[in-house]
Amino acid sequence: MTIVTFWNNNTGKIGQTHSALAIAAHMAVEHNYKILLMSTKYNDQVTMKAFGFDQITKTVNLLTNNKNTMDLESGIEGMSKLALSNRLTADMVPNYTRMIFKKRLEVLAGPQDREDEKIDYKKIYDSCKTIANIARQYYDIVFVDLNNGLDEEATKAILKISNIVIVNVEQKPSEFTEMVKLRSDLDFLNQKNTMFLINRYDRSSKYSTKNVTRDLMEKKEILSVPYNHLFAEAMQEGTAAEFFLNPKIRKLDDTEDRTAFFISELKRAEEAIIYKMQELQMRI
């Protein structure tokens, strides 16, 4: 149904993958949507490590001593071959994903380095538009963690088919003004389908979501995903999914608590996405 793409125009690492992963995983726990989290990034170790995929791969390598085992090949590579030959169908997609929460969240990690074979990443990336378009027929929401910048035509193609674009920014005034200008220059980044999100948000900064929203004259408060050390540690330990199932985490309601604030901002982002989805459906 809906393609929600996380993208930024920054040249460095600003925490976009952390934000996309946190929102997708928490939303899967709290809402009844069938979600696919799809990474297009080459050798994306953040997603692999966050869900423990890197350890699974090492274990299979050890037990089979066969680096060409299909389980070790990134699912997106297999899907790419089918997509490029026009043989990929919606019901095939789950065969190439990894299940996190049954009927709630599946993950399609980006193509990974392999010692024995050089992959054609450009060909895989060029097929991502087709993969996302077909996947939307099977899932309620396809979250795409997209490559940054606008140099690649494949990046523009995915942004153009996205129902919602989450424009990720750092907590810097120069970032905000640059992205507003970019949005006015590009027809596929218009005010109706884009939302700004501050990564690694610090609520003690004077560049708060409310202040920035006012300065940019946005109609609705821009989104944020605060930095949270407990979630960052969970991602490093491969327990990002389990983090949101922890009863202690789910019961937090004191917004002065940093983790409670982290969760409350995730909820605010999810509600904004759901509202935008409903708004788009009403236009159809």
Side-chain angles (χ1 to χ4, degrees), residues 10-11 16 19 35 56 67 116 142 209 228 238 244 248 258 271 279:
N10 204 299
T11 55
Q16 173 181 303
S19 296
I35 296 171
I56 294 170
K67 293 184 175 62
D116 58 312
V142 177
T209 53
N228 182 266
F244 293 114
K248 292 181 180 178
R258 278 189 257 182
E271 288 167 3
E279 193 178 63

Side-chain angles (χ1 to χ4, degrees), residues 108-126:
L108 183 63
Q112 304 297 308
D113 268 333
R114 291 205 301 278
E115 294 176 9
D116 58 312
E117 181 184 349
K118 184 174 176 61
I119 64 169
D120 189 344
Y121 173 66
K122 186 180 185 307
K123 188 178 286 187
I124 294 171
Y125 191 42
D126 287 344

Side-chain angles (χ1 to χ4, degrees), residues 73-235:
E73 182 177 297
S74 168
I76 204 166
E77 294 175 49
M79 289 176 68
S80 175
K81 293 171 186 175
L82 291 172
L84 291 168
S85 60
N86 295 318
R87 291 185 291 124
L88 182 64
T89 59
D91 59 332
M92 290 180 181
V93 175
N95 297 332
Y96 293 88
T97 64
R98 306 217 192 190
M99 185 184 295
I100 307 301
F101 302 131
K102 190 174 182 180
K103 295 183 179 181
R104 292 291 185 94
L105 178 63
E106 294 169 29
V107 172
L108 183 63
Q112 304 297 308
D113 268 333
R114 291 205 301 278
E115 294 176 9
D116 58 312
E117 181 184 349
K118 184 174 176 61
I119 64 169
D120 189 344
Y121 173 66
K122 186 180 185 307
K123 188 178 286 187
I124 294 171
Y125 191 42
D126 287 344
S127 71
C128 284
K129 173 191 170 183
T130 301
I131 293 171
N133 244 337
I134 292 173
R136 84 197 306 173
Q137 299 170 29
Y138 187 87
Y139 299 91
D140 298 319
I141 308 173
V142 177
F143 283 115
V144 180
D145 181 19
L146 188 62
N147 296 15
N148 60 355
L150 287 167
D151 294 336
E152 298 284 342
E153 286 303 314
T155 302
K156 296 176 185 176
I158 293 172
L159 288 171
K160 286 177 182 178
I161 66 166
S162 300
N163 303 98
I164 301 170
V165 178
I166 309 292
V167 180
N168 291 254
V169 295
E170 293 182 282
Q171 203 168 2
K172 299 176 181 177
S174 57
E175 284 265 301
F176 308 135
T177 52
E178 180 188 338
M179 294 314 301
V180 169
K181 183 180 183 305
L182 192 64
R183 186 171 65 180
S184 67
D185 293 342
L186 300 173
D187 58 355
F188 54 86
L189 287 179
N190 58 70
Q191 202 157 13
K192 291 181 179 178
N193 78 332
T194 58
M195 293 187 281
F196 290 124
L197 185 148
I198 302 176
N199 296 278
R200 297 171 180 162
Y201 178 67
D202 179 1
R203 61 176 163 179
S204 63
S205 167
K206 70 176 180 179
Y207 302 114
S208 66
T209 53
K210 289 183 179 178
N211 288 342
V212 173
T213 300
R214 184 185 61 247
D215 292 344
L216 297 181
M217 294 185 288
E218 291 289 300
K219 291 181 180 179
K220 293 185 179 178
E221 185 176 351
I222 65 173
L223 308 175
S224 84
V225 173
Y227 175 79
N228 182 266
H229 74 281
L230 293 178
F231 181 63
E233 289 167 2
M235 289 187 66

